[in-house]
Amino acid sequence: MTKHIFVTGGVVSSLGKGLTSASVGMLLEQSGLSVRMQKLDPYINVDPGTMSPYQHGEVYVLDDGSETDLDLGHYERFTHGPLTRDSNYTTGQIYLNVIEKERRGEFLGKTVQVIPHITNEIKSCIAAIAEDDVDVVITEIGGTVGDIESLPFMEAIRQFSLDVGKENCLYMHLTLVPYLKAAGELKTKPTQHSVGLLRQIGIQPDILICRTERSLAADDREKIASFCNVPVQHVIEEKDKDFSIYEVPLSLVENKLDSIIIKQLGLKRKPLNLEKWRDLLHRLRNPETELSIAVVGKYAEHKDAYKSIYESIDHAGMENHAQVRIGSIQSEVIERDGPERVLSGYDGVLIPGGFGERGTEGKVEAIRWARERAIPFFGICLGMQCAVIEFARNVAGLEGANSTEFDKNTSHPVIGLLDEQQNITDKGGTMRLGAMDAKVLAGSRSLDCYGSQKVSERHRHRYEFNNDYRQQLQDAGLTIAATSEDGSLVEIVEIADHPWFVAVQFHPEFKSKPTEAHPLFSGFVQAAARRTQSK
Ligand code: GLN
């Protein structure tokens, strides 16, 4: 029988539910259990793919091409269970499923209602990933208890334990215990209120994870335990981490969270193996070198917009015993102040993916600067497209070269719409999405990094390298380092007489893990480290 852990949040949003859920998943996996993770988001968009990064942070893409919440990035980085379309549902998707069933007449003349039809649909989405070989499903509910829009999800998870048996479900509630300066003490009342709200809905949490900036005193724990009706050992402190998010799982273990979960769900475990994790923290604490990378993007001021990029750089840093300082730079600042002023001092420049014209000229200038000064450069998706534009304009002499995304009438459309996109008008879920194989060519820098000619990487784009310019740009010195299997689509470009200039059409940042850095990120950070050392 698969066991279920439901994770809810209270008091405020942004408590790090995703990270805590992922950490719990990791601890259970490292105890020999098979774990599946899932996020249920109460908003009405069918998926986050159509949302601005300002609203929602990065859109995380899975192998199967689904565009999902960025918490799934935490899940994939911390655990190994497969994530699919079933791993992330929104209210919009749930309603869409129910409405489609209604149109097909599947409700046999009944009035279709939130309870039971919407709640049944939610429950079936949870049950869908509880396959026979899965020991534990962790389902995180987005939003904060008390939100109107999350009510059907709360009702569904309440009913779920009636359906599968109370002994098979565990409710974990994340809450905030704020420190009030004026009073000089931690305050437990918000936690009491938020658990009160949960209990009104009919959910008695089993475990409380208390996010706090100061340690909880025994009194605080006892007060929370008694007002919230949980055993005092089940009041788990999760203190803010100044150093690294990778400390979270270890601090949960110190508070015995793994043992409490295992015992309550009656699971059988192997001894917890955190060797790799401790090793990565050790490397993080004892760097042998320091370097800095500039990430030049349109949404640089938003900390979640390039989440997986920042994390992948960190992974590569840990792998290479390097402490990496990341500078988030808005590309429009480069347009205003020039690359010299903004980028001098950095050991590497990375341009991530993006959409729309704003800031693209600043990216092109940044790339020129990195190319001409032999600064390691890594372009990703739009970053690759901008690298092709820069090379076409400034090396191949194709004046006015551009992407048709930014200038429909450009004299040299070196980047154009993919053929398969020509007649697509809907915006949701219609890009070239998900994992696709690429052939990496012999003699390329990318092959040195991957060590394999066949790779699978995730995509999310509508535009591509225009093959009409392939020969001309190659003749001018651009290396086509990888293509799609059939050779038709350019996947990686490089510049051979540059210390490290690699630009990819796909998103390697979705396949990097703290304990297994992505080979291209690792190669990039190594090149940046070589540059620092040679300074
Ligand atoms: N806007 C570009 C395209 O659609 C790049 C997309 C991206 O960077 N994810 O092709």
Side-chain angles (χ1 to χ4, degrees), residues 48-51 56-61 67-70 305 460 510:
T50 52
M51 278 191 232
H56 193 269
E58 129 190 311
V59 175
Y60 190 82
V61 181
E67 298 174 279
T68 70
D69 184 76
L70 55 78
R460 182 170 187 253
F510 297 141

Side-chain angles (χ1 to χ4, degrees), residues 93 106 136 153 178 203-204 219 231 255-256 291 301 303 310 325 366 443 469-470 503 507:
Q93 182 67 56
E106 286 182 27
V136 185
F153 291 97
I203 297 174
Q204 167 62 53
D219 281 9
N255 282 280
K256 304 204 168 40
L291 58 98
E301 74 282 24
K303 79 175 190 10
Y310 298 146
R325 182 176 68 79
Y469 288 90
R470 223 196 249 200
H507 290 274

Side-chain angles (χ1 to χ4, degrees), residues 353-355 380-382 385 405 460-463 505 507:
F355 296 84
I380 292 179
C381 207
L382 181 64
Q385 297 174 357
E405 181 179 359
R460 182 170 187 253
H461 63 123
R462 289 188 207 282
Y463 292 82
Q505 181 56 77
H507 290 274

Side-chain angles (χ1 to χ4, degrees), residues 309-326:
I309 299 265
Y310 298 146
E311 300 245 337
S312 302
I313 295 174
D314 285 346
H315 305 161
M318 290 189 278
E319 188 169 280
N320 292 290
H321 301 268
Q323 182 175 343
V324 187
R325 182 176 68 79
I326 299 175

Side-chain angles (χ1 to χ4, degrees), residues 269-455:
R269 78 181 310 173
K270 292 199 182 115
L272 181 60
N273 179 358
L274 290 177
E275 214 174 297
K276 273 192 181 171
W277 210 263
R278 289 193 204 282
D279 176 51
L280 82 86
L281 274 168
H282 177 78
R283 269 179 288 152
L284 198 57
R285 286 211 172 86
N286 302 286
E288 289 163 11
T289 162
E290 274 179 42
L291 58 98
S292 59
I293 303 278
V295 175
V296 180
K298 175 167 153 185
Y299 311 104
E301 74 282 24
H302 190 300
K303 79 175 190 10
D304 283 341
Y306 306 118
K307 185 136 206 117
S308 296
I309 299 265
Y310 298 146
E311 300 245 337
S312 302
I313 295 174
D314 285 346
H315 305 161
M318 290 189 278
E319 188 169 280
N320 292 290
H321 301 268
Q323 182 175 343
V324 187
R325 182 176 68 79
I326 299 175
S328 308
I329 293 166
Q330 232 173 331
S331 46
E332 284 163 298
V333 173
I334 295 183
E335 291 170 13
R336 194 189 63 206
D337 297 345
E340 186 76 41
R341 256 183 80 181
V342 186
L343 297 176
S344 291
Y346 284 102
D347 304 302
V349 173
L350 187 151
I351 310 234
F355 296 84
E357 195 193 353
R358 177 164 74 81
T360 49
E361 288 303 323
K363 294 178 189 175
V364 170
E365 279 186 64
I367 295 167
R368 178 174 197 169
W369 191 81
R371 181 178 56 74
E372 291 181 344
R373 280 168 186 68
I375 315 280
F377 170 76
F378 195 11
I380 292 179
C381 207
L382 181 64
M384 176 268 204
Q385 297 174 357
C386 287
V388 173
I389 294 168
E390 192 281 322
F391 191 90
R393 287 183 193 170
N394 301 323
V395 181
L398 300 172
E399 207 180 312
N402 214 334
S403 163
T404 53
E405 181 179 359
F406 316 131
D407 179 2
K408 290 233 161 354
N409 305 314
T410 166
S411 43
H412 293 291
V414 288
I415 303 292
L417 200 60
L418 282 155
D419 279 347
E420 66 197 45
Q421 291 283 327
Q422 300 292 348
N423 299 317
I424 291 178
T425 50
D426 272 8
K427 290 279 180 268
T430 55
M431 282 186 246
R432 178 172 183 258
L433 285 166
M436 247 93 47
D437 285 345
K439 262 188 327 201
V440 185
L441 305 185
S444 63
R445 220 173 276 289
S446 301
L447 185 61
D448 292 343
C449 295
Y450 280 115
S452 158
Q453 282 202 283
K454 187 172 167 181
V455 299

Side-chain angles (χ1 to χ4, degrees), residues 489-503:
L489 195 133
V490 173
E491 291 277 17
I492 307 183
V493 299
E494 296 181 4
I495 295 175
D497 62 353
H498 183 285
W500 209 89
F501 191 106
V502 176

